Amino acid sequence: MSYIYLLPGILLAITLHEFAHGWVSWKLGDPTPKQEGRLSLNPLHHLDPLGVLCMLFFHMGWAKPVMINPYYYKNKKAGTAMVSLAGPLMNILTGAIGIIILSWMEVSFYTGTLTVNNFVETVYSLLYYFSLLSINLAVFNLIPLPPLDGSKILGIFLPDTVMDWIERHSQYFMIALLVALYFGILDTPINAAFNFIHDGIWDFAFSLFQHKLVGVA
């Protein structure tokens, strides 16, 4: 995978992910993300060096967590879960938009309505890697282990005492997560979830433009 396309895809996917966290928390009444400068599309405001390295080498990673104050929410647990879910949903949505554009480009290549040149190939490659990384980022962050979003989404179904214990021991979960990544322990479930979402979006996207292929030899 070329770093020329990989790095922009990582930066954009992570930035949109964290922006979504901050924006939803802010809309729920929490001023903290805005005060911390996290309602920004500047990647430098969101990058976590270790998370970016994991994205580069494992194609799964995270950004600098958005600081929130759940006590501003009308429902602390529900609000926290909504904020946590916002990042992965943003990645799936923007990844899906990228795939829809890609499928339109592929159909247009085939029908001859779009000419292939260096610029078009560059746009295609950037969209391809951005979509791939966006869905990977979403799936990875839905794993229910700290510090990932999935752990906080799971929290809405767990007693406060259990969540407090998990948060107190989050550093150990973090170590376990890195070990699991290194040894590929999570590869099978992550790949299965990724393929389900990714292939489903591609099937939907192609169905939107299938009529253009009718009568084309």
Side-chain angles (χ1 to χ4, degrees), residues 121-187:
E121 287 182 348
T122 299
V123 171
Y124 183 94
S125 296
L126 287 170
L127 279 172
Y128 174 80
Y129 287 115
F130 166 70
S131 300
L132 188 74
L133 289 163
S134 293
I135 296 172
N136 258 324
L137 186 64
V139 169
F140 178 67
N141 275 277
L142 287 172
I143 295 172
L145 292 174
L148 303 178
D149 298 324
S151 65
K152 297 180 177 62
I153 297 169
L154 180 65
I156 198 171
F157 305 106
L158 297 177
D160 291 341
T161 52
V162 175
M163 282 306 300
D164 289 342
W165 182 87
I166 291 174
E167 290 176 5
R168 286 198 307 272
H169 297 84
S170 60
Q171 67 271 26
Y172 301 111
F173 285 104
M174 177 71 171
I175 294 170
L177 179 63
L178 293 174
V179 170
L181 280 178
Y182 182 79
F183 288 105
I185 296 170
L186 298 175
D187 285 358

Side-chain angles (χ1 to χ4, degrees), residues 99 128 131-132 135 193-203:
I99 288 173
Y128 174 80
S131 300
L132 188 74
I135 296 172
F194 171 83
N195 290 333
F196 177 79
I197 296 172
H198 181 264
D199 295 350
I201 294 172
W202 268 106
D203 289 343

